[in-house]
Amino acid sequence: MSDSVDRRTVLKGVAASAAAIGPIAQALGAEPDGLQFEAPVPFSYDLFKDQARERAHKPYEPPPRPSPETLQKINYEEWGKIKYRDAFALFANGPGPFPITFFHLGLFFEKAVGMHVVENGQSREIIYEQAYFDMPADSPARDLPAGAGFAGLRIQEPRTGSLDWRHNDWVAFLGAAYFRSIGELRQYGLSARGVALDVAVADRSEEFPDFTQFYIESAAAEDTLTLYALMEGPSIVGAYRFKMTRGKGVVMDIQASLFIRAQSSRFGIAPCTSMYWYSETKKDTAIDWRPEVHDSDGLEMWAGNGERLWRALNNPPRIMVSSFLDENPRGFGLMQRDRVFDHYEDGVYYDRRPSLWVEPLPGPDGRGWGKGSIQLCEIPTDDEIHDNVVAMWVPAQPVPAGAELHLAYKLHWLADSPVPSGLGRVAATRLGRGGQPGLPRPKGVRKFMVEFLGGPLETLPYGVKPELAVSASRGIFGPYQLIEAVPDGVPGHWRAQFDLVVDGADPVEMRAFLKSGDKPLTETWLFQYHPF
């Protein structure tokens, strides 16, 4: 970004001619000079994609890091003292309903990101000024060069809404190609990413492309904002369009054109990234005072053949990648089902963390996502500060250098899945010592207790007990098995208990569901058991 005065257009809110600059003038804050912009250049999504395609044929150039020695001094504490001034919020006075504020650069966000406003087929780059930010007089950020740039952006609640937009935002783009939303329960949690390249590949380092340019267009709809993002990395260039709707939760309608510079071993599409430390399934003695700590507790899947699946998450002893083969999946996502505050007892509100559901859409050719797999990567962690879970779609065939992918999908940031199955759902997975109560517990036997809730279980005739269908990739099931209604007075709340006898430390893939005759009553429970 240039700070050359002769190249930039300084827009002065009250003095600028409405005929000359149109509604962009209304984007200025209350300060005399408002935001400052570069001169306009043509912009359209088709032109944006063409430019991304051209960049993919050129050598990769990483985004700028202005004054790295200064950025090293803006640690987390110093960065937290830097606040964007509401008076300089984009669209603070319209025309769009959602004001936009910006994040400052710092130690953990060193790469400068370009910000642009789109209007009437043109875009103008916003020029960074220190005056946009409140910061202490001795802040190391004051030593950054002119025009240093921004780190990211966030979208505030509508100016005319019931909440004060100055203190409430609903989407944030910050760091690499990560973005988040507060979802339905107004609490940030897991993240989405543009792509995931070579996650957990033994002989390759994971690549983290960056969103390097954002183009912000205030949509006419009162509940929608459109954002265009350029993503760049050594192996890829991507042109994204996000149509984001603020309603009950947040829905992002995404189109992405990806241009491949180099082939990746694991090419992850629509990745979701979350944190799972422990839950009611398994908790080490005295590891922490809280009963559970996780942003998500399971991977929900709706397979192309219509099967509904729930894979309970693990904090495994080593990095594990599970693949669920499919063709044209109908949806998947990392979900937070446990909504009871007493199960966490934490003021950071894990019970309100959003669920993120990915809905694949047909591409420009009318086809779905084809053959591939939903892959779940679980990484060991001993703290809640690490995002250690990734779920993504991986095509069956490698995506070669020179290829182009044109994708469409929706992200639903909600409390629950937007497409209920109508079946009973897995409510909890619990492990314990095997054997029968009141008798000596045999070694090497693990008890599993899986809770199911709702759906057809609620309307079972009195005295009718569901049947259990259970299988495992290895080991044998012990003689003890129990299916019973949970004695809590909640209709349709059942639990199945069974023992597994297994030798060795290799993981065991398990699946189970409740049925009545040949009719399934519940979704299918999946679990990867690590003997201990």
Side-chain angles (χ1 to χ4, degrees), residues 427-491:
T429 301
R430 307 178 193 274
L431 274 63
R433 293 185 302 165
Q436 189 169 346
L439 298 177
R441 299 300 178 100
K443 294 183 178 180
V445 180
R446 184 62 56 199
K447 183 180 300 299
F448 294 83
M449 194 285 291
V450 184
E451 292 184 20
F452 296 93
L453 178 65
L457 295 174
E458 295 183 3
T459 57
L460 282 178
Y462 180 78
V464 175
K465 182 180 293 188
E467 306 165 58
L468 173 65
V470 61
S471 62
S473 60
R474 67 187 192 89
I476 59 173
F477 291 102
Y480 180 78
Q481 187 178 110
L482 176 66
I483 303 171
E484 63 179 355
V486 179
D488 58 1
V490 176

Side-chain angles (χ1 to χ4, degrees), residues 97 104 134 141 150 181 208 300 309 325 377 437 441 445 527-528:
H104 201 278
D134 279 327
F150 305 96
S181 173
F208 294 92
E300 184 174 348
L309 305 156
L325 298 179
C377 176
R441 299 300 178 100
V445 180
F527 189 67
Q528 186 180 77

Side-chain angles (χ1 to χ4, degrees), residues 43 98 121 144 179 187 297 322 339 360 365 372 426 443 505 516:
F43 182 87
F98 304 109
L144 287 172
F179 54 99
Q187 180 66 50
D297 51 9
S322 302
R339 297 294 180 190
D365 58 2
V426 177
K443 294 183 178 180
S516 178

Side-chain angles (χ1 to χ4, degrees), residues 9 11-13 15-26 28 119-120 124:
T9 301
L11 300 182
K12 300 187 177 181
S17 164
I21 62 175
I24 282 185
Q26 301 177 51
L28 305 181
E119 181 191 26
N120 296 332
R124 294 174 184 257

Side-chain angles (χ1 to χ4, degrees), residues 505-525:
D506 291 339
V508 182
E509 301 293 342
M510 306 181 68
R511 57 189 293 136
F513 62 93
L514 297 182
K515 64 177 184 173
S516 178
D518 295 331
K519 180 182 177 181
L521 302 175
T522 69
E523 64 188 359
T524 299
W525 168 82

Side-chain angles (χ1 to χ4, degrees), residues 44-60 194-195 197 207 209-210 229-241 255-264 267 269 364 399-407:
S44 70
Y45 187 40
D46 286 338
L47 178 61
F48 184 52
K49 290 187 287 186
D50 289 342
Q51 292 170 342
R53 181 184 288 109
E54 293 175 6
R55 294 182 77 91
H57 294 290
K58 298 177 181 179
Y60 169 66
V195 292
L197 303 179
E207 180 178 326
D210 299 285
L230 178 68
M231 186 185 71
E232 300 180 73
S235 301
I236 195 169
V237 177
Y240 287 77
R241 181 173 69 184
Q255 291 189 15
S257 292
L258 307 178
F259 307 99
I260 312 304
R261 283 174 164 150
Q263 182 173 311
S264 300
F267 192 96
I269 293 171
V399 184
E404 296 185 8
L405 288 181
H406 302 279
L407 302 169

Side-chain angles (χ1 to χ4, degrees), residues 257-281:
S257 292
L258 307 178
F259 307 99
I260 312 304
R261 283 174 164 150
Q263 182 173 311
S264 300
S265 295
R266 177 172 286 125
F267 192 96
I269 293 171
C272 314
T273 300
S274 192
M275 180 275 295
Y276 176 88
W277 187 7
Y278 60 86
S279 68
E280 74 280 339
T281 301

